[in-house]
Amino acid sequence: MKKNNSALYFIISAACLLLSACGTKQQPEESLQQTTTQQTDAENVTQEEIEEEDTSEITTPSKEEVFNMRETVLEGMSDEEIERLTENIKIANLRMESAYLNDHIFDKLSDKDSLYWNYFDQKGDIQVGEKNGTPIMIYNRFDAANFINLIQDMQKSVHNEMLAADLQQLIDLTSMAAETHEMEYANKIYKILHDLDYFLLRYGIEDVGKYTKDGGVVSKYYGVLIVYGAAPDTATEIR
């Protein structure tokens, strides 16, 4: 596998692969939801590919708590900055969620030499597999370094230290994922994106749940956000 040494956060279609450009308008939410979460029944998804921590002791934030926390952490940001942050995190989460539910991405990333790590390592035309002796090529718009730059740029508009810290987690974990090819880093990136999207910047149970066949995915809370009191989950902890 060919690696890009200059690459340091979505596969990542994970977030890196299919994340939209900064400030670019996306397709309508309903259409987008129907092409991601709705296409897979969460009850049929195997969990063998992903290392899940016990979330039985985690209290899921209520709708009121989500709305109050959102108001707190977005204070001082312009409407344009909020829209940009919300949209980019949403798209990153949905793309990575689709890769998790439909492509068993974490199982593939468990192999450090998997061609799927090219999503992190390279930009442009990359090989992600082989079929009948023919390389499977796709165009990768964002590698890890590009994704990190995007998060850092959005982080500049954030005034709340806790939200800035959660974005920093994405930066650190993405850097370590690209550097080490450890699946656990990609797994943690997904969980942070999931909680940021469904339990902070949006309220997934209502905003997204109506578009899904099963509410198990959008109602699941991993409890990884610093804004709700989680301990910083820094990249160095996996070493």
Side-chain angles (χ1 to χ4, degrees):
M1 180 186 66
K2 184 178 180 181
K3 292 186 65 178
N4 182 349
N5 293 329
S6 64
L8 287 179
Y9 235 39
F10 176 70
I11 245 156
I12 294 182
S13 128
C16 300
L17 165 65
L18 294 173
L19 187 64
S20 312
C22 307
T24 301
K25 294 293 184 180
Q26 307 300 330
Q27 59 179 302
E29 178 176 313
E30 180 173 359
S31 174
L32 183 60
Q33 291 296 158
Q34 290 173 339
T35 61
T36 53
T37 310
Q38 187 175 18
Q39 62 186 315
T40 303
D41 188 339
E43 292 180 346
N44 297 326
V45 176
T46 176
Q47 296 298 315
E48 293 178 356
E49 68 208 61
I50 183 171
E51 183 179 330
E52 296 279 7
E53 72 265 19
D54 182 9
T55 58
S56 59
E57 300 300 320
I58 296 175
T59 301
T60 301
S62 66
K63 178 180 178 179
E64 181 179 6
E65 289 173 324
V66 170
F67 281 37
N68 289 340
M69 185 59 71
R70 182 190 305 163
E71 181 178 2
T72 297
V73 300
L74 298 181
E75 185 176 0
M77 297 176 64
S78 68
D79 291 342
E80 183 179 39
E81 291 168 340
I82 293 172
E83 181 181 7
R84 181 186 179 211
L85 176 64
T86 302
E87 192 70 10
N88 281 327
I89 292 297
K90 178 182 78 173
I91 297 301
N93 174 49
L94 292 179
R95 297 307 187 188
M96 203 164 189
E97 178 181 280
S98 178
Y100 163 43
L101 297 178
N102 302 323
D103 297 332
H104 306 289
I105 186 62
F106 298 116
D107 181 48
K108 294 172 181 176
L109 292 180
S110 294
D111 178 2
K112 291 186 178 184
D113 294 323
S114 170
L115 290 171
Y116 272 78
W117 282 107
N118 283 336
Y119 283 117
F120 283 87
D121 299 335
Q122 301 178 26
K123 181 181 177 181
D125 294 323
I126 64 172
Q127 182 180 355
V128 295
E130 188 174 292
K131 185 175 183 180
N132 299 325
T134 303
I136 299 174
M137 307 295 295
I138 62 96
Y139 182 78
N140 186 27
R141 187 175 182 183
F142 280 80
D143 62 10
N146 298 138
F147 183 71
I148 287 173
N149 289 338
L150 173 62
I151 298 298
Q152 288 176 329
D153 192 45
M154 294 191 297
Q155 191 182 38
K156 295 175 183 177
S157 66
V158 173
H159 300 279
N160 182 274
E161 292 184 359
M162 294 185 297
L163 178 55
D166 278 320
L167 295 180
Q168 187 63 45
Q169 288 194 100
L170 287 177
I171 294 169
D172 294 342
L173 290 166
T174 300
S175 175
M176 292 304 297
E179 180 182 333
T180 68
H181 285 196
E182 292 285 353
M183 178 274 290
E184 287 82 1
Y185 293 122
N187 185 357
K188 288 177 181 293
I189 291 167
Y190 165 64
K191 291 174 182 177
I192 293 173
L193 288 170
H194 173 99
D195 282 3
L196 280 173
D197 184 20
Y198 292 153
F199 291 95
L200 186 66
L201 300 175
R202 296 192 293 168
Y203 185 54
I205 294 173
E206 290 187 359
D207 296 346
V208 185
K210 59 186 176 183
Y211 299 118
T212 65
K213 294 180 180 179
D214 180 87
V217 174
V218 297
S219 63
K220 183 176 183 61
Y221 177 62
Y222 290 105
V224 295
L225 298 185
I226 295 173
V227 299
Y228 289 115
D233 191 2
T234 59
T236 55
E237 290 181 359
I238 295 178
R239 288 185 169 185

